[in-house]
Structure formats: structure tokens, C-alpha cells
Amino acid sequence: MEYQADLSSNSWVFKFQPEKRTITGRSYIRLKRLMDLTLVIGSIPFWLPIVALLAGLIWISEPGAPIFFVQKRTGKNGHRFNLFKFRTMVPNAEQLKSKIAKVNAQGELAGPLKLANDPRITRIGRILRKTSLDELPQLFNIIRGEMSLVGPRPTSWSSESYILWQTERLDVLPGLTGLWQVCGRGGQDFDDWLRWDIRYLENQCITLDIVILYKTITAVFKQKGAV
């Protein structure tokens, strides 16, 4: 399988070779879970007040409307779970989907990725998406063991919709961020997204996870695309 990549800017990815890993298998999975819980729970005094503040702002902007957006996503081994995000669209966004689909058919949306200028997004929602703060509630998914800090982003469609080569990304917990988010970050089509995910699976290690987390934070501050 060929992997499309911008080697001039992302050559660091290919420095992580599977044969050089010292912690593998269940030991790696346990260590990664320990790192997830340590970082997420240890930083609760920092991110929980931010979650509370943003929840208040969303409620004030549209009293009575849901604060959180809960959607079924596909996780490890095809398991479906409820993913939490801050609501960034108008309350009747689902009813407006058919109108947006006509825009997608004109070529503004490549595959199941995000529409660039979705009219359903609220003013505060645009800020949340630009800064990736809409993803903060997924820290609760990590605590619940449904997600990890680093891994393939969970898709909304079920595992039955995947073709065979794509199912490899379902071998691990989905992540808050991943290799595609720091290498492609919205600039490639769906197949490229999946190929970056599989590249991560073939080279995953604690060091790579830490590098991806660092590059994610850097990309968010630069506001380059959307994680």
C-alpha cells in the first residue's frame, strides 16, 4: 500500500521504526492508558473550569438549547459509543442537513470530511472549532476508556461501512488527536486520512504519541485547520 505524504515537512514521521520499539503489545497499551489518565486527570484543575466557562457561554447565547452535542461514533473493534463535543451548530442542524448536502454535491466537500463554510455553525461555534475547544468534552470519553489522547479519530458511520483495508484503524482506541491531524490537518481527502491512521498504527509507540501531542498543541495555537 502506498502512503501519500509531504516528506519535506513530515519526514519526522518515518523516523519511528517498528523494529526499534522497546515497549510493545499489552505493555504499550497499559503504559499508554496510564499516560492518558495521568495527563487528563492530573490536568483537571486546568481544563474543567474552561469546560464550565464554555458551557455557560453556549447556554447564554442560546438559552434552552443543548450545550453538548452527543453523537454515536465507531471505536475500537467497531464498538459504538457516545462521543461528547460542545454544540457548535444551530439546534436544528440535522433538519438542515439535506440542504447542505446539495452544496456538498457541487464539490465543496471531499468525502465525509467537514464543510468549509457550513452555514449551520453558530458564531461561538466558529471560535470553538477554530481553537479546537469544541473537542474538550472528549476528555470525559478518555476517562471512561472509550478514547485515548492519541489515535485515529472516530468516525460517525459504523464499521460495516468500512472496506477491508480501512478496518485496520479499528484495532486501537480512537484518539482526541492523531497523525493525520498534525500532518494532513484538513488538507487531504478521506483516503489520505485513513492512510495516515494506518501509518500511525504501524509505528505507534509512546515517543510518537508524545510527539503527536506536542505537534497538536503547536498546530492549535497556530490555528492551522481543525483538529
Side-chain angles (χ1 to χ4, degrees):
M1 182 182 301
E2 295 181 357
Y3 293 89
Q4 300 177 14
D6 181 1
L7 294 181
S8 62
S9 60
N10 297 313
S11 58
W12 60 271
V13 175
F14 303 93
K15 295 179 181 179
F16 293 88
Q17 301 298 327
E19 62 271 12
K20 295 181 179 181
R21 291 179 292 189
T22 56
I23 302 175
T24 59
R26 291 187 177 181
S27 297
Y28 165 72
I29 294 174
R30 293 193 187 101
L31 181 58
K32 184 175 182 179
R33 178 60 178 162
L34 178 61
M35 182 179 75
D36 286 341
L37 291 177
T38 299
L39 291 177
V40 174
I41 295 177
S43 61
I44 281 179
F46 171 73
W47 60 262
L48 192 57
I50 298 176
V51 168
L53 174 62
L54 294 176
L57 291 175
I58 295 172
W59 184 84
I60 291 172
S61 65
E62 292 181 279
I67 294 173
F68 298 101
F69 174 69
V70 182
Q71 185 183 52
K72 285 290 184 182
R73 294 290 181 100
T74 300
K76 184 177 181 181
N77 298 324
H79 171 70
R80 299 284 282 176
F81 68 97
N82 291 323
L83 178 138
F84 306 119
K85 296 181 71 171
F86 280 122
R87 181 178 59 82
T88 59
M89 291 187 175
V90 294
N92 63 334
E94 285 300 312
Q95 287 76 11
L96 297 174
K97 184 180 291 186
S98 59
K99 296 181 180 179
I100 301 300
K102 295 179 181 179
V103 177
N104 292 352
Q106 296 174 1
E108 291 189 34
L109 182 62
L113 303 182
K114 297 177 181 178
L115 186 64
N117 295 303
D118 196 324
R120 299 173 298 170
I121 301 176
T122 63
R123 284 185 295 178
I124 188 173
R126 292 191 186 281
I127 298 174
L128 293 176
R129 288 191 174 202
K130 189 68 176 178
T131 58
S132 296
L133 289 173
D134 61 318
E135 311 284 359
L136 267 182
Q138 288 162 47
L139 294 175
F140 294 110
N141 288 116
I142 295 174
I143 293 175
R144 286 157 57 115
E146 298 162 332
M147 292 179 61
S148 176
L149 284 171
V150 181
R153 286 294 294 163
T155 57
S156 58
W157 54 95
S158 66
S159 57
E160 287 76 14
S161 301
Y162 285 74
I163 59 178
L164 184 60
W165 74 269
Q166 296 172 344
T167 58
E168 186 176 351
R169 75 194 305 271
L170 301 177
D171 291 343
V172 299
L173 285 175
L176 181 65
T177 185
L179 194 55
W180 177 80
Q181 279 67 32
V182 298
C183 291
R185 202 164 166 78
Q188 299 172 317
D189 63 25
F190 182 55
D191 280 350
D192 281 332
W193 173 11
L194 296 186
R195 289 187 175 98
W196 277 116
D197 288 339
I198 294 174
R199 171 61 67 178
Y200 166 75
L201 294 177
E202 293 176 346
N203 297 277
Q204 61 182 331
C205 62
I206 291 297
T207 304
L208 179 57
D209 291 337
I210 293 173
V211 171
I212 290 175
L213 285 174
Y214 169 76
K215 287 184 174 290
T216 297
I217 295 172
T218 302
V220 167
F221 276 108
K222 289 180 178 179
Q223 295 187 0
K224 179 185 175 185
V227 173

